[in-house]
Amino acid sequence: MGKNLRTEAVDHLFDAILCLESKEECYTFFEDVCTVNELLSLSQRFEVARMLRDQKTYLDIAEKTGASTATISRVNRSLNYGNDGYDMVFGRMEEESDAGQDT
């Protein structure tokens, strides 16, 4: 990535996100921080990543999410060559889901 992502401002944003304690707090915060379109774009990319991980085809993903093939390709590149952020989060979500089923 050409731009330096690790800035004091980004640190402050991430610190704020880490303070959130519930899904409702996330809605409240992100509705203030993001436009509706920005939030929908982020959620679309996350859904595309989930579907790619589940071995869905580009056509299925495009039909279900409305994402362009360029967006799907970009997310796929992040899954394959990125920093493993998606895998980290999906792994933790699966662990939480499995733990919830054990109780």
Side-chain angles (χ1 to χ4, degrees):
M1 184 170 274
K3 296 179 182 176
N4 183 8
L5 179 64
R6 293 181 182 268
T7 66
E8 189 175 349
V10 174
D11 282 349
H12 289 156
L13 174 63
F14 290 164
D15 288 341
I17 292 168
L18 290 169
C19 289
L20 300 171
E21 295 180 359
S22 69
K23 193 180 294 185
E24 197 55 43
E25 287 186 1
C26 287
Y27 273 102
T28 300
F29 178 73
F30 280 97
E31 284 179 23
D32 284 349
V33 172
C34 298
T35 66
V36 171
N37 285 339
E38 288 168 337
L39 196 50
L40 291 175
S41 291
L42 289 171
S43 64
Q44 181 188 63
R45 282 185 227 135
F46 193 74
E47 185 67 6
V48 166
R50 186 188 65 75
M51 293 180 76
L52 284 167
R53 237 174 143 243
D54 290 344
Q55 304 295 308
K56 303 294 184 200
T57 66
Y58 274 37
L59 182 59
D60 288 340
I61 295 168
E63 286 177 355
K64 171 108 175 28
T65 67
S68 68
T69 55
T71 296
I72 298 168
S73 179
R74 207 172 303 121
V75 171
N76 194 41
R77 193 168 36 253
S78 291
L79 282 170
N80 291 319
Y81 306 108
N83 295 317
D84 298 326
Y86 282 117
D87 288 334
M88 175 183 61
V89 169
F90 287 130
R92 288 183 185 166
M93 291 174 77
E94 288 167 5
E95 287 172 10
E96 285 182 16
S97 176
D98 291 345
Q101 292 176 2
D102 293 343
T103 56

